[in-house]
Amino acid sequence: MRKGLRIVLWVVAGIFFLLFAVVIFINTRPGKDFVRTRIVSFLHTKLGTEVQIGELDYDLPTMVVLKDVLLKDQAKDTLLAARQLKVDIALLKLMSSNVSIQQVYLDGAYVHVYRKQEDTAFNFQYIVNAFSPTDTTTPTDTSTLQMNLDKLVLHDVHIKMDDYAGGTRMAYDVGDLNLTMKELDPYKLNFRADKLYANNVRAVLIQGRSYLPAKPDTGSTPVTLNLSANELNLNNVYYDQQNLENQFFMEMNVGQLLAHPKNIDIPGQQIDIRDFLLSNASVNILMKERSAELAKEIADTLVDENAPESVKWRVTANDLNLNNIGFVMNNENDPHMARGIDYSHLDVQKLTLDADNVLYTMDTIGGVINHLAATEQSGLDVRELKTRFEYNPQGGYLNDLYLQTSNSILQDNASVKYPSVEAIAKNPGLIQTEIHFK
């Protein structure tokens, strides 16, 4: 009896020391290199494409680091290349369907996703197919899966998507991005950020002809996206949009954008901003043939007095500041005017604005302008504008007005009232005006 017990104890002790030795070994550099080669071999066999991992480091069960990563697609083009990928994750929580990520750090990355004109699948589809379950009769239950991400850090990241079949090409170059999250629920589309900092970001979007068959109208409920953030800090941002089908082109440069939103309720169509600062920015819009209808749709959406009840956007800003803003718009569908402000061919420069209590809805705009100055190519030179103003479906007013241009000064009050736009269209005599100008 004692002899049998002694043997069992020796076996248990041997297993324990063997496991201990394995744990010690896999935490050494030779052990990590051994694990790395096994992972590379497995992925190469599973995917059938070139896979490289220059170095693997980890601190189980919380941290995994991959360096000099390379993954090629089936056409031997680079799908993913990264100098370093670090993930701080609670691996033990994965067993309870909880993906808890403290930080994702990506440095020196290049991603190229594409779909050729004659294809229906992207170049990463083979990865999805390789790891998809063979039994598709039983749907995957994701209702119990929990996910959270505390921090995302990107440095020197370049992402390209060339969808020649769908007619869309995108390119994103990110110098630095630091995102801290409050809530992440991709299944309910809840993305609530604490702070977003970005520097040296370049984005290009080109929309052309789609060669894909039109999707049938299933009458499904539209997707509701919930976004919010406590602070947005963007610096040196460039955005270029080219709609080749509608011949609509927009180019935007942002030197600095700093905002502290109080509430961003996309489903509820309400945005409340505590303060908003935009400095050293420019917007250039060009509309060619076939873009006139698109421009009219945008204008009608911005101010629509007959908007349906379902459209009830409301935007407020307690403190709004614009410094050194340029805005150029050319609508080549309309001829140039010989005199006056040509609203189809605008060139506004050196725009500065200091405003409080700004309100915008689908039919009302108002606020307090403490200072506004700008120049326009027609010769308009506004050196100072101050006023309390509002425009609504029953009229509008300019109170405590002070307007100084290069040639004149205008000040005092003005107001106009009417029952509705429809009413005065039938009877202009219903308009009531009160004007006191110096």
Side-chain angles (χ1 to χ4, degrees):
M1 181 69 178
R2 292 180 178 178
K3 183 178 180 180
L5 181 60
R6 190 181 299 114
I7 294 174
V8 171
L9 291 175
W10 276 108
V11 171
V12 172
I15 295 175
F16 173 78
F17 283 113
L18 179 61
L19 291 176
F20 181 75
V22 171
V23 171
I24 294 297
F25 173 72
I26 64 174
N27 278 283
T28 63
R29 175 45 51 196
K32 292 176 180 179
D33 288 339
F34 174 80
V35 174
R36 175 184 60 82
T37 56
R38 298 283 74 78
I39 293 176
V40 171
S41 177
F42 168 77
L43 291 176
H44 177 71
T45 303
K46 185 74 173 178
L47 301 176
T49 59
E50 182 179 353
V51 179
Q52 295 181 19
I53 300 177
E55 182 179 332
L56 170 66
D57 196 7
Y58 47 77
D59 184 9
L60 299 177
T62 58
M63 184 268 292
V64 178
V65 179
L66 302 177
K67 294 183 179 181
D68 300 327
V69 178
L70 176 64
L71 174 61
K72 293 193 175 183
D73 60 22
Q74 292 179 310
K76 298 183 179 180
D77 294 325
T78 298
L79 176 60
L80 168 66
R83 191 159 45 237
Q84 180 176 347
L85 171 62
K86 177 182 177 182
V87 180
D88 292 335
I89 183 172
L91 294 175
L92 297 179
K93 291 185 178 181
L94 293 175
M95 294 184 291
S96 57
S97 299
N98 188 342
V99 182
S100 180
I101 304 174
Q102 283 70 52
Q103 176 176 298
V104 174
Y105 174 79
L106 183 60
D107 173 49
Y110 171 79
V111 180
H112 188 198
V113 175
Y114 64 84
R115 175 168 59 176
K116 297 181 179 179
Q117 182 175 323
E118 63 275 9
D119 291 341
T120 58
F122 287 95
N123 61 329
F124 62 82
Q125 185 61 41
Y126 76 103
I127 301 177
V128 178
N129 297 337
F131 289 97
S132 297
T134 56
D135 183 11
T136 58
T137 58
T138 303
T140 303
D141 183 15
T142 60
S143 60
T144 60
L145 183 63
Q146 299 179 4
M147 178 179 294
N148 74 279
L149 170 64
D150 294 337
K151 190 173 185 179
L152 173 66
V153 180
L154 305 180
H155 174 68
D156 190 23
V157 174
H158 309 273
I159 301 174
K160 288 182 62 179
M161 191 193 79
D162 296 321
D163 184 7
Y164 295 101
T168 301
R169 299 177 62 191
M170 294 181 287
Y172 301 94
D173 299 314
V174 180
D176 292 284
L177 185 144
N178 194 317
L179 171 65
T180 55
M181 296 293 298
K182 294 180 60 179
E183 179 185 355
L184 173 63
D185 190 341
Y187 303 104
K188 296 182 180 180
L189 295 180
N190 291 332
F191 302 93
R192 306 187 185 280
D194 181 25
K195 294 182 179 181
L196 171 62
Y197 169 81
N199 185 38
N200 294 327
V201 177
R202 179 183 176 90
V204 178
L205 171 62
I206 302 176
Q207 298 168 292
R209 177 185 175 186
S210 174
Y211 295 90
L212 299 175
K215 295 182 179 180
D217 185 6
T218 59
S220 58
T221 305
V223 176
T224 300
L225 181 63
N226 300 311
L227 296 172
S228 68
N230 290 335
E231 179 177 291
L232 300 175
N233 190 347
L234 311 180
N235 299 272
N236 302 321
V237 176
Y238 172 81
Y239 175 74
D240 182 10
Q241 177 182 346
Q242 304 175 32
N243 192 319
L244 303 180
E245 286 290 284
N246 292 317
Q247 291 291 288
F248 179 86
F249 305 89
M250 181 172 67
E251 187 178 36
M252 181 168 57
N253 283 280
V254 175
Q256 180 188 21
L257 188 155
L258 178 61
H260 295 90
K262 292 192 297 184
N263 176 45
I264 301 179
D265 185 1
I266 302 299
Q269 302 181 21
Q270 181 165 339
I271 298 176
D272 300 308
I273 300 174
R274 186 169 71 246
D275 55 74
F276 183 93
L277 169 65
L278 179 63
S279 297
N280 301 320
S282 64
V283 179
N284 195 326
I285 297 176
L286 173 62
M287 292 179 284
K288 296 185 177 181
E289 187 181 359
R290 294 190 299 173
S291 64
E293 294 183 2
L294 178 62
K296 185 177 183 303
E297 291 177 4
I298 295 175
D300 291 344
T301 302
L302 291 176
V303 179
D304 185 2
E305 297 179 351
N306 300 313
E309 290 295 326
S310 59
V311 180
K312 51 182 181 181
W313 273 104
R314 177 185 175 89
V315 180
T316 65
N318 291 347
D319 186 5
L320 176 62
N321 284 276
L322 307 179
N323 297 319
N324 191 27
I325 309 300
F327 178 79
V328 177
M329 184 188 71
N330 284 299
N331 186 351
E332 294 187 353
N333 299 285
D334 296 336
H336 287 264
M337 294 177 56
R339 298 182 60 186
I341 300 178
D342 188 347
Y343 293 98
S344 295
H345 305 278
L346 286 172
D347 188 349
V348 179
Q349 299 297 326
K350 299 179 181 179
L351 171 64
T352 61
L353 171 65
D354 177 7
D356 298 330
N357 303 320
V358 177
L359 167 67
Y360 166 81
T361 67
M362 299 305 293
D363 57 11
T364 302
I365 182 171
V368 178
I369 297 178
N370 302 311
H371 170 70
L372 185 148
T375 62
E376 208 278 327
Q377 64 178 353
S378 62
L380 178 64
D381 181 9
V382 178
R383 299 184 178 182
E384 182 70 82
L385 171 62
K386 300 178 182 180
T387 186
R388 292 185 295 111
F389 75 99
E390 182 176 309
Y391 167 79
N392 56 59
Q394 284 75 44
Y397 63 81
L398 296 170
N399 291 338
D400 301 325
L401 173 66
Y402 181 88
L403 172 60
Q404 179 184 0
T405 70
S406 55
N407 297 308
S408 62
I409 294 178
L410 188 67
Q411 55 186 326
D412 218 346
N413 302 285
S415 66
V416 57
K417 297 180 181 179
Y418 43 79
S420 66
V421 175
E422 294 80 6
I424 62 174
K426 298 177 181 178
N427 184 4
L430 296 175
I431 299 177
Q432 301 179 29
T433 61
E434 184 175 353
I435 300 176
H436 298 280
F437 278 157
K438 299 177 184 178

